[in-house]
Amino acid sequence: MTNESNKLIYTALGAAAAGAALAIAILKFTGDDKDKKEPSQSRLYNPPLVFMNDVSESGDVNLSRQVSEASLLMPHNHEEKMRRRVATRYSIEEENNTPRNLVTVRVPATSANVGPGYDCLGIAVDLWSEVTVQRSDTFEITAEGEGADDMPRDESNYLVVGCRAAFETAGKPLPTLKYHVVSRIPYARGLGSSSAAIVAGIVAGLVLAGHRLPCWGSEALLQIAAGIEVCFDDIWNLVS
């Protein structure tokens, strides 16, 4: 054999020996570490995680909070990641089922007047109106900002119409409510002020009623709003 061949052989043998020695050292270190006393539980942080239990015979999903012993997930644990996401979403939805006394909703302006995409394409505009709805002994609508003087103060207001539709969807009577609007969407200027009022009323009504729609997406909300507003393009821009 040539000197070059001998060098290659010696190098390979040396690398193999070094690898074997390293493996033995790791195994020894791991074995010694197991003999050490476990750290105090007070020193450990195990964040609580929500897990979804099996669906009962009645179709209800039972949720329970458990402490995860292994909160770290490896990149290939896709099913467990999805399970935790679904369980967390269920937990949030269950919390939203609690009726509330007051809710504030923010909705943007929208427009479907997009050049050649007229009434086909739509955009949301960075102009936001804020609506606060609360249970009250007397019916009242107060408003400030854009178009406040022209806003209806009776039950024909789209806020009230949206709230009523939400409570009808929940199968509950509409209670006496007080509405306050901070309008930043120009009134009757093609920026979806009516659609914004409808969607704000529906969302506020669903929260106050503690009602969860039968699907997670926007389909059910769109169906409710479509029964009120004929300009469906503006509604879609708001909830999409």
Side-chain angles (χ1 to χ4, degrees):
M1 291 186 181
T2 62
N3 291 334
E4 293 295 331
S5 299
N6 291 334
K7 289 181 180 179
L8 290 175
I9 293 174
Y10 294 149
T11 301
L13 291 175
L22 180 61
I24 293 173
I26 292 174
L27 290 175
K28 185 176 184 302
F29 176 78
T30 304
D32 293 342
D33 188 62
K34 289 181 179 179
D35 295 334
K36 293 181 180 179
K37 184 179 179 180
E38 292 292 334
S40 174
Q41 290 295 328
S42 61
R43 300 286 300 277
L44 298 177
Y45 173 67
N46 292 319
L49 298 173
V50 179
F51 291 93
M52 183 175 64
N53 296 334
D54 295 333
V55 180
S56 63
E57 295 180 358
S58 61
D60 297 330
V61 178
N62 299 319
L63 299 176
S64 61
R65 283 193 177 271
Q66 301 175 0
V67 176
S68 173
E69 296 180 357
S71 59
L72 180 63
L73 292 177
M74 301 302 292
H76 63 274
N77 297 133
H78 303 296
E79 293 183 0
E80 181 61 23
K81 289 180 181 179
M82 182 58 66
R83 173 184 169 86
R84 294 187 183 184
R85 289 173 186 168
V86 171
T88 302
R89 183 60 183 268
Y90 267 111
S91 178
I92 295 173
E93 295 292 349
E94 287 297 323
E95 182 180 352
N96 290 340
N97 278 348
T98 305
R100 308 297 173 92
N101 292 321
L102 183 146
V103 61
T104 298
V105 182
R106 297 179 69 241
V107 286
T110 57
S111 177
N113 305 327
V114 187
Y118 182 82
D119 278 354
C120 296
L121 301 177
I123 58 173
V125 184
D126 193 16
L127 294 172
W128 297 78
S129 288
E130 187 174 291
V131 178
T132 301
V133 185
Q134 66 182 42
R135 299 177 186 269
S136 177
D137 295 330
T138 58
F139 173 84
E140 183 182 9
I141 298 177
T142 57
E144 58 181 287
E146 294 282 350
D149 295 336
D150 300 323
M151 194 174 298
R153 296 298 201 276
D154 57 13
E155 294 187 355
S156 65
N157 190 302
Y158 275 141
L159 278 172
V160 183
V161 175
C163 273
R164 181 181 294 108
F167 273 87
E168 289 176 354
T169 301
K172 300 178 180 179
L174 179 67
T176 304
L177 299 173
K178 179 180 179 180
Y179 307 81
H180 180 70
V181 183
V182 180
S183 178
R184 300 183 181 91
I185 302 175
Y187 191 69
R189 294 294 184 272
L191 287 172
S193 59
S194 298
S195 299
I198 291 172
V199 172
I202 293 173
V203 173
L206 291 172
V207 174
L208 290 175
H211 180 70
R212 182 177 65 189
L213 295 175
C215 59
W216 288 354
S218 306
E219 295 85 354
L221 180 58
L222 286 171
Q223 293 297 326
I224 299 173
I228 304 171
E229 175 62 83
V230 295
C231 295
F232 192 75
D233 44 8
D234 287 331
I235 297 293
W236 172 252
N237 295 332
L238 280 164
V239 301
S240 60

